[in-house]
Amino acid sequence: MTRVILLEQLKAFTIAATRDLLLPLVPQEEELLLPPRYGPPGVYRMRLPEFGAATRKAPYILHQAVTGKDVQKPGDRTPDSSAVVRTVFCVYCKDEEEGGLYLLNVMERLRIALLEQVVIGKQFRLDLKEGLESLAYPDDASSSTAPYYLGEMVSQWKLPPVGRKVAL
């Protein structure tokens, strides 16, 4: 359950860190003739809520727990636990330059907030020894994703220790 709680805390933290960003929302079919709408990115855990929603839900941030590790060192009573989280970013914009800047802005907003806070939910610590890695997917003429702009961030988290029920 700990990694699930980590994702819940990351979601709450991300919503708070990005709530004042106004990004272009993907127009739905019934809104095509209306003026563009703006709002903060949606934040999700593990998967988007509906199949095929990767473009309809933009802008969004998706946190995914991808690996976990428990290691017990000699002499320690409890194992050290960690989790690697992949965070996917997607923004929408008809203007390619602006789209790239929107993506960079939302990624930087979360990166800086995580580096300022380091501990979230009073129990999960960002492992700065492992670093916080980010990548904005490059776009070229042969494989353009415009008007969608994508990036990701990989972070490693120290989890609270799991107490043993049986002594070794």
Side-chain angles (χ1 to χ4, degrees):
M1 284 296 283
T2 305
R3 285 184 279 170
V4 173
I5 297 168
L6 169 61
L7 291 177
E8 290 171 0
Q9 292 296 319
L10 269 172
K11 179 179 179 177
F13 180 84
T14 302
I15 289 170
T18 61
R19 72 174 155 241
D20 64 337
L21 287 177
L22 295 177
L23 303 169
L25 304 177
V26 173
Q28 303 305 311
E29 193 173 310
E30 65 275 5
E31 301 171 330
L32 291 176
L33 299 176
L34 298 175
R37 295 181 309 125
Y38 293 83
V43 182
Y44 304 97
R45 297 161 297 156
M46 292 307 287
R47 297 280 204 205
L48 293 175
E50 359 174 315
F51 179 75
T55 54
R56 289 193 319 274
K57 291 290 185 183
Y60 61 83
I61 300 170
L62 173 63
H63 296 293
Q64 300 173 311
V66 291
T67 64
K69 189 172 187 178
D70 300 291
V71 177
Q72 186 157 356
K73 296 175 185 166
D76 286 352
R77 296 182 62 93
T78 58
D80 289 333
S81 299
S82 64
V84 173
V85 174
R86 174 183 183 235
T87 301
V88 177
F89 300 85
C90 178
V91 299
Y92 166 85
C93 186
K94 289 181 180 180
D95 180 306
E96 291 193 33
E97 180 181 23
E98 286 297 311
L101 290 170
Y102 283 137
L103 175 64
L104 185 59
N105 190 30
V106 72
M107 291 177 71
E108 283 294 285
R109 177 71 66 96
L110 184 58
R111 183 185 72 84
I112 291 167
L114 289 171
L115 291 172
E116 288 175 340
Q117 188 77 23
V118 182
V119 175
I120 64 169
K122 299 180 183 176
Q123 59 183 335
F124 303 104
R125 178 178 296 279
L126 180 61
D127 188 346
L128 293 175
K129 288 181 184 175
E130 294 296 324
L132 183 60
E133 190 173 349
S134 59
L135 165 72
Y137 296 133
D139 204 18
D140 61 37
S142 66
S143 63
S144 178
T145 60
Y148 300 94
Y149 305 90
L150 308 164
E152 71 177 69
M153 183 179 296
V154 177
S155 56
Q156 187 159 327
W157 296 86
K158 296 288 186 182
L159 307 178
V162 175
R164 292 196 186 253
K165 292 185 178 182
V166 177
L168 291 177

